[in-house]
């Protein structure tokens, strides 16, 4: 019987087409080792603004969709820029929808960051991810400074041997601590 691949679901805090955080996540997906699949969420930008009145039976379909993706993921990868010393609103909105649900508690999380700055957001994100009960794995944190680089420079940095080695090493560390979800796919 073949072993199912570990599925990692990535949340990108930037919706920008040329987002450096997304470019980093796409490189992570490209370099995923054998037996690990990475999918980047396309749902953060379509979630309505969180309203506790709409939890339970009234939960909007896009929220149920992202919750299903998270339920069937063995781990999450989160990458976000810093906006005004904080977490980007879209990502925080997604996390707010997930706070009271069952999918998030205990879910392993690898935090990655595409800037040499942004420590306020990283600190806030760390606090929020811990508060909502994820299993944030600090040993898998990965920072690739791409802020202020041109598209060509971003591509060149992401293709450097040392960058690829660091990404592969972080992914292997993360895959090693991620148990396969019992939820059927
Ligand atoms: C509205 C806005 C606010 C920002 N605030 C900060 C900030 O407080 N600190 C910081 O280091 N960078 C800040 N930045 C810069 C972004 O973090 C930076 O451009 C980042 O690389 C964007 O990520 P992306 O390329 O994935 O979109 C801000 C950018 C925008 C658009």
């Amino acid at each position: 019987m073949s072993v199912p691949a570990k599925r990692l679901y990535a949340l990108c805090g930037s919706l920008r087409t040329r987002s450096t955080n997304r470019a980093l996540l796409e490189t992570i997906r490209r370099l995923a080792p054998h037996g690990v699949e990475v999918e980047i969420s396309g749902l953060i930008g379509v979630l309505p603004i969180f309203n506790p009145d709409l939890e339970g039976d009234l939960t909007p379909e896009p929220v149920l969709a992202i919750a299903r993706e998270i339920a069937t993921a063995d781990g999450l990868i989160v990458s976000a820029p810093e906006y005004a010393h904080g977490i980007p609103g879209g990502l925080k909105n997604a996390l707010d929808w997930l706070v009271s649900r069952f999918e998030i508690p205990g879910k392993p999380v690898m935090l990655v960051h595409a800037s040499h700055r942004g420590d306020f957001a990283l600190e806030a994100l760390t606090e929020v991810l811990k508060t909502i009960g994820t299993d944030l794995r600090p040993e898998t944190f990965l920072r690739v400074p791409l802020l202020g680089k041109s598209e060509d420079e971003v591509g060149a940095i992401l293709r450097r041997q040392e960058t690829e080695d660091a990404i592969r090493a972080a992914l292997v560390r993360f895959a090693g601590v991620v148990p396969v979800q019992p939820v059927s796919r």
Side-chain angles (χ1 to χ4, degrees):
M1 204 172 75
S2 64
V3 179
K6 289 186 179 177
R7 179 171 173 271
L8 306 179
Y9 191 62
L11 303 177
C12 184
S14 172
L15 300 182
R16 213 162 62 88
T17 311
R18 293 185 177 165
S19 160
T20 52
N21 286 279
R22 170 166 290 272
L24 174 57
L25 288 173
E26 281 166 357
T27 303
I28 288 173
R29 181 174 58 189
R30 174 171 64 81
L31 298 177
H34 181 69
V36 176
E37 288 169 6
V38 176
E39 183 184 336
I40 303 171
S41 177
L43 293 170
I44 289 184
V46 301
L47 300 179
I49 293 176
F50 176 60
N51 179 350
D53 288 346
L54 300 181
E55 290 185 294
D57 291 347
L58 297 177
T59 303
E61 180 49 39
V63 177
L64 295 175
I66 197 168
R68 278 194 298 269
E69 296 287 359
I70 290 173
T72 56
D74 301 304
L76 302 180
I77 304 175
V78 178
S79 187
E82 176 171 282
Y83 286 166
H85 285 188
I87 302 169
L91 176 61
K92 181 61 166 61
N93 183 51
L95 297 175
D96 287 345
W97 275 113
L98 295 162
V99 169
S100 316
R101 301 186 56 90
F102 72 89
E103 295 86 0
I104 272 286
K107 191 68 66 177
V109 175
M110 171 178 169
L111 191 54
V112 302
H113 191 61
S115 171
H116 60 288
R117 303 192 318 222
D119 288 342
F120 292 105
L122 282 174
E123 202 177 311
L125 202 42
T126 298
E127 181 62 22
V128 170
L129 289 168
K130 283 184 183 167
T131 301
I132 66 177
T134 69
D135 179 17
L136 180 62
R137 308 302 301 224
E139 73 273 26
T140 64
F141 176 69
L142 176 75
R143 186 194 288 261
V144 181
L146 300 173
L147 174 77
K149 306 291 182 195
S150 70
E151 221 178 328
D152 286 350
E153 287 169 330
V154 166
I157 292 168
L158 289 172
R159 281 191 304 273
R160 269 185 207 153
Q161 190 64 52
E162 68 202 68
T163 309
E164 292 195 347
D165 289 348
I167 290 173
R168 282 200 183 93
L171 272 171
V172 166
R173 267 197 300 279
F174 192 47
V177 298
V178 163
V180 174
Q181 275 291 303
V183 178
S184 60
R185 297 182 180 147

